[in-house]
Every structure is written in C-alpha cells, then in structure tokens.
Amino acid sequence: MKDAYTIRVNLKGGIVSVGELKSILTVLKTAQISEVSFGLRQQLIFHLPHSRSVYLGSELSKMNRSYEVDTNLRPNIVSSYVAEEVFQKGNWITEGIYKDILDSFDYDPTLKVNISDNSQSFTPFFSGHLNFVSSNEPNFWYCYLRKPKTNEVHVYSKLIFTNEIVHLSKFVENRLIENPALPVSEIFDSIPDMISVPNEKELKLPKFTLPYYEGFNRYGKKTWLGIYQRNEQFTTDFLLELCELALASKIGELCLTPWKSIIVKGIGEVDRPYWSAILAKHNINVRHAANELNWQVEDASEDALKLKKQLVENFNKLDIRTFGICFGIKTIPKTEVFASIMVRRRRFKLFNFIPTFFVYDISYTEDFDPNGRTKVYFSKGVQRFNLPEQLRRSVLLYNENYLGKVREKPISESKNTKKSKPETIEVHQCPSCLSVYDSRFGDNLAGIPAGITFENLPNEYECGVCEEPKSNFKVIIVEDLVKTTV
C-alpha cells in the first residue's frame, strides 16, 4: 500500500489474551487504523500511514510489544493450539503443554517454527523450517528440518522431549547463522545431548480434511465461534467490541488460524445470543460456502485475493465439486502457502530473459496432500483467460484420483470381510436408558466429537439421552460391528 508501512505483530502460537488484544486495538484506533487482518502464520497485520508511525511505535514500545515494519525477519511461531478441543480427536497434548512450549521461547526465532499435534490437519505440519510434530509417546516430538530456501524436509533420528524444543530450535538456528551452507546431516550430528529417545516409528499423519471452521459449533456443553471475512479484513471497532464481549463472558483468550480467521472458544449457552447480536450489528456472515473457505492466499496481497474471488465465482457458476481440496495462490516468489493445488503467477520471459506479461503455473502435491513436499506440475505458462478452465481440469484430476483409490478395493472384497469372525471391544453403557458411549462415534446429543475416549470425557459429562452422570456408566463388551461390516 502506497504511503503506508505494513506492520506485523507476532502472536505466539496464534494465541492472544483478550486484554492484550484490546490494548493493541485501542492504540490502533487512536492512530486511526480502521482495519486489520491476520496472516498465514497467525500474525496480526495492518497498514500504518507514515505520518502516524512515531506515535504507534512509541505506544507499542510502552507495551513491550515487538513488531516488524515492511519485513518478516522474525516469523511467528505457528501452533495447532487453535485445534485443541474443537478440531482434534484427542491426544496427550493439552493446553498447558502448548503454553509451556510457547512460553519457553525466550527469543524471537529467525527460523519458522511449527508446533503441531499429529492428530489434526487444520494447521500445516511442514510449512516451517523447524517442524515439531507430536509422536504417540507422551511428551516426545518428531523434529523435521527444512533449511531456508529449500523444499527438502529431513527428519531427526531422535524424538525430542517437550522441554528441549526451545533448546534445539536455538541450537539449529545458531548453527545456520554461523554457516548457512552446513549440510543437514552435520547439523543433526552436532546436536548436543538432550532428553530424547530413538525415533523408531515413521510418523503417520491423518488424511487431510479441512473442517468447516466458521459459525457457531457445539463441543461438550460449550460453543465455539469461527469468524471469517471474505476480504480478510476485520474492523478495529468490531474487534474491540468482540474483546469487550469476551471479557464480559469470562473468555480470556482468542485464537487465530492459518486460514486468516478468528476462533472464540468457551462460549456458554446463556451468552450465545450476545455473540449473535454482535455479528448482526457488524453485518458479519458466518455461513460462507466451503469452496471459498478452503483457500490459502498470501498475506496482504490484493492481487492474490482478487484472483481468488474470480476463481471461486467460476467454481460457483460451474457448480463443481471441490470437497477435500485445499487451494493456494502465490504471486510473490518464496512465500509459504499451504495447498493441495497451487496457482503460481510469474512473468513470462521473452527469449528467456526479458519479463513481459503474467502467466500462471498450476501444480499439485503428491496424493493432493497439502502437507506433501513433492510437487507435480499440471500445466505451465497458462494465460489468464484460460486459467479457470485449467484449474477446473485439475479439480477433475483430483476427483479421478479419489475414484481410483476407491476402485482399488472392490465392493466384493468388503462383502467378504463380513464372513470373518467378529472382534469384541469395550464400550460404556448408561444404566438408565441403556444407550452406549463408543469413542469412535462420540455423542452428538451431548456435543462430543468422535475420537474422545471415555476416560478423557469431562467429569461433568452426562448421557446425551437421559443426562445420567458419567460416574454411573458401566463397561460392557460388545461385538465390533464396524470392523466386521466395513
């Protein structure tokens, strides 16, 4: 933006206390900043007119809040904390573990650091330089290193203990500062003794599924609210009122997502009308189409956002199925965008030397998994008028790929499994109405998603049918009908 600086404020792990955000927004409003946005790395971003930079710098310094001006040399630490409770299916990682890790970072990394739960697919696993992914061994993490300006990801031979994450991050960063050309093998070999165990099992990540991350959604006896804006802009007036309502509702923090949206957790049933009212007051829609939500667009890029809008409109016109696909748009080299199918804009070079008009390359990751690092080109040098059609064809390729996987296992094979001897499993049964709690299905009536074990249910959990307390449920053994019929 002309005559303005682009300011980035890091909010570690995509978590911000309501009080701190309110203080920042109050300063921005005084500086006549009317809109802000959130970045792919869960940052707060806004444009600051040059004339107001001295005031803003002074006020943010008083708050001990660091920020960057027209640079991104200290990228934010990304975490999957936003998925805790509402998107993941249960793991040993808790709110306290996330916050202990984030609080332990006593420096601002120059490397991109990602902290991810292996049971979720809402936030990217490998978009960082240092990517820590939880293992199935409590408090131990896989470490994947991707050197800056490369696309190759290397896994460390040991699982790192939670408390060692910051020490390892600082060590690797210092080695790369000393010698950027140092091979990854030498970096790994030189890591000092830390609490660790051998990495003996290959990491298995969940199949990518993007949950519908906006609107009001139940979990347990609470509600979470996701708020997305089509233009990626949130007014400071709206956010200030949101902070006031959160404080009045005794909600202490807000979460930012890599999809440039906000998630408010812990809304009580009695307070839900007030949250609906604030959305109505500011005319904020929370029911966008899924094919608009599954896009990753570069931060603060008007060109990329305009292109996304046009491509989404074309999808809507064609009524094409895009379920399961994450799209990305890159108009600037070396930006990190999380995507299954990527649209990259570049200059066509006459005689392979003189830049002329824009053309577009469409690529996709192996298996169409946005966490994949292997890129395959679908088409190159596409002119703008032909881009919607080529993108449509890439979607058809994805759908054909999906059908091919289904055909690999004929229905007759599935039918044959019915003849196998049924296995048994433990479930928990309500003594009053005899309904069963099976962790594979959860309890829709009580707002419990699939994947939550009975032991991990809150102590105040009650039967979704008759409200019998959790403590009265009985363990019973039943045939595993799912395994014997699928």
Side-chain angles (χ1 to χ4, degrees), residues 30-49:
T30 304
Q32 300 178 18
I33 309 299
S34 60
E35 291 183 322
V36 302
S37 62
F38 302 109
L40 296 172
R41 293 195 66 82
Q42 299 166 304
Q43 298 164 301
L44 175 67
I45 302 174
F46 57 91
H47 297 294
L48 174 68

Side-chain angles (χ1 to χ4, degrees), residues 436-453:
V436 169
Y437 181 83
D438 185 333
S439 62
R440 297 171 299 171
F441 307 106
D443 184 347
N444 288 333
L445 294 175
I448 304 296
I452 305 299
T453 64

Side-chain angles (χ1 to χ4, degrees), residues 234-483:
F234 295 82
T235 67
T236 50
D237 285 339
F238 165 68
L239 292 178
L240 278 168
E241 288 190 39
L242 183 143
C243 288
E244 292 284 0
L245 179 54
L247 291 171
S249 305
K250 296 184 170 27
I251 293 173
E253 65 187 20
L254 302 173
C255 294
L256 309 181
T257 82
W259 307 90
K260 304 184 180 181
S261 62
I262 308 171
I263 286 184
V264 186
K265 302 178 185 178
I267 298 174
E269 194 64 30
V270 69
D271 295 325
R272 179 165 169 168
Y274 299 102
W275 290 93
S276 292
I278 193 175
L279 297 176
K281 177 179 178 180
H282 291 271
N283 195 30
I284 293 178
N285 177 27
V286 289
R287 282 290 175 243
H288 292 88
N291 67 357
E292 181 170 343
L293 298 175
N294 59 351
W295 287 76
Q296 290 264 292
V297 176
E298 295 161 322
D299 296 338
S301 173
E302 293 183 11
D303 286 348
L305 200 58
K306 181 179 179 181
L307 179 58
K308 172 200 167 179
K309 180 181 178 182
Q310 293 169 346
L311 293 173
V312 170
E313 287 177 350
N314 186 68
F315 281 161
N316 288 335
K317 180 180 178 181
L318 297 175
D319 199 21
I320 189 170
R321 175 185 169 87
T322 60
F323 181 79
I325 307 175
C326 169
F327 296 95
I329 294 179
K330 292 178 64 170
T331 61
I332 305 170
K334 302 300 181 184
T335 53
E336 190 69 37
V337 178
F338 177 59
S340 311
I341 298 178
M342 182 73 70
V343 176
R344 182 174 71 93
R345 187 182 74 174
R346 61 179 172 86
R347 290 282 187 183
F348 177 79
K349 292 183 178 180
L350 190 62
F351 307 118
N352 206 30
F353 177 71
I354 304 172
T356 55
F357 53 88
F358 285 120
V359 293
Y360 300 84
D361 299 331
I362 300 175
S363 62
Y364 58 93
T365 56
E366 190 175 28
D367 253 2
F368 291 91
D369 184 343
N371 287 299
R373 308 305 301 183
T374 303
K375 181 169 64 175
V376 180
Y377 280 99
F378 177 77
S379 56
K380 289 185 176 182
V382 179
Q383 295 192 38
R384 178 65 187 85
F385 75 89
N386 198 33
L387 180 60
E389 171 59 19
Q390 289 300 314
L391 191 60
R392 182 189 74 85
R393 293 183 184 185
S394 72
V395 172
L396 296 181
L397 175 65
Y398 167 83
N399 290 335
E400 181 61 30
N401 178 270
Y402 177 82
L403 287 172
K405 290 181 179 179
V406 173
R407 294 183 186 124
E408 288 175 2
K409 186 177 182 182
I411 295 177
S412 58
E413 291 184 15
S414 298
K415 289 181 179 178
N416 290 337
T417 61
K418 292 181 180 180
K419 300 176 183 178
S420 62
K421 184 178 178 180
E423 299 179 18
T424 59
I425 58 169
E426 284 189 357
V427 295
H428 293 76
Q429 187 174 51
C430 172
S432 296
C433 68
L434 303 182
S435 60
V436 169
Y437 181 83
D438 185 333
S439 62
R440 297 171 299 171
F441 307 106
D443 184 347
N444 288 333
L445 294 175
I448 304 296
I452 305 299
T453 64
F454 188 80
E455 291 74 17
N456 287 335
L457 291 174
N459 291 332
E460 60 271 17
Y461 168 75
E462 296 174 343
C463 174
V465 176
C466 69
E467 299 184 351
E468 182 77 19
K470 172 186 176 183
S471 58
N472 292 341
F473 275 57
K474 305 296 182 184
V475 176
I476 62 171
I477 306 298
V478 298
E479 289 185 0
D480 188 354
L481 298 178
V482 173
K483 286 187 177 181

Side-chain angles (χ1 to χ4, degrees), residues 216-249:
F216 290 99
N217 302 271
R218 289 290 301 274
Y219 69 107
K221 293 187 177 181
K222 296 284 188 178
T223 294
W224 63 267
L225 169 63
I227 309 172
Y228 158 86
Q229 286 285 75
R230 178 171 286 164
N231 63 357
E232 298 182 355
Q233 299 293 315
F234 295 82
T235 67
T236 50
D237 285 339
F238 165 68
L239 292 178
L240 278 168
E241 288 190 39
L242 183 143
C243 288
E244 292 284 0
L245 179 54
L247 291 171
S249 305

Side-chain angles (χ1 to χ4, degrees), residues 5-44:
Y5 299 114
T6 297
I7 308 296
R8 285 178 168 83
V9 179
N10 285 346
L11 303 172
K12 278 185 184 179
I15 311 168
V16 59
S17 76
V18 175
E20 182 180 17
L21 181 59
K22 180 183 175 184
S23 297
I24 295 173
L25 292 168
T26 300
V27 170
L28 296 187
K29 185 170 183 179
T30 304
Q32 300 178 18
I33 309 299
S34 60
E35 291 183 322
V36 302
S37 62
F38 302 109
L40 296 172
R41 293 195 66 82
Q42 299 166 304
Q43 298 164 301
L44 175 67

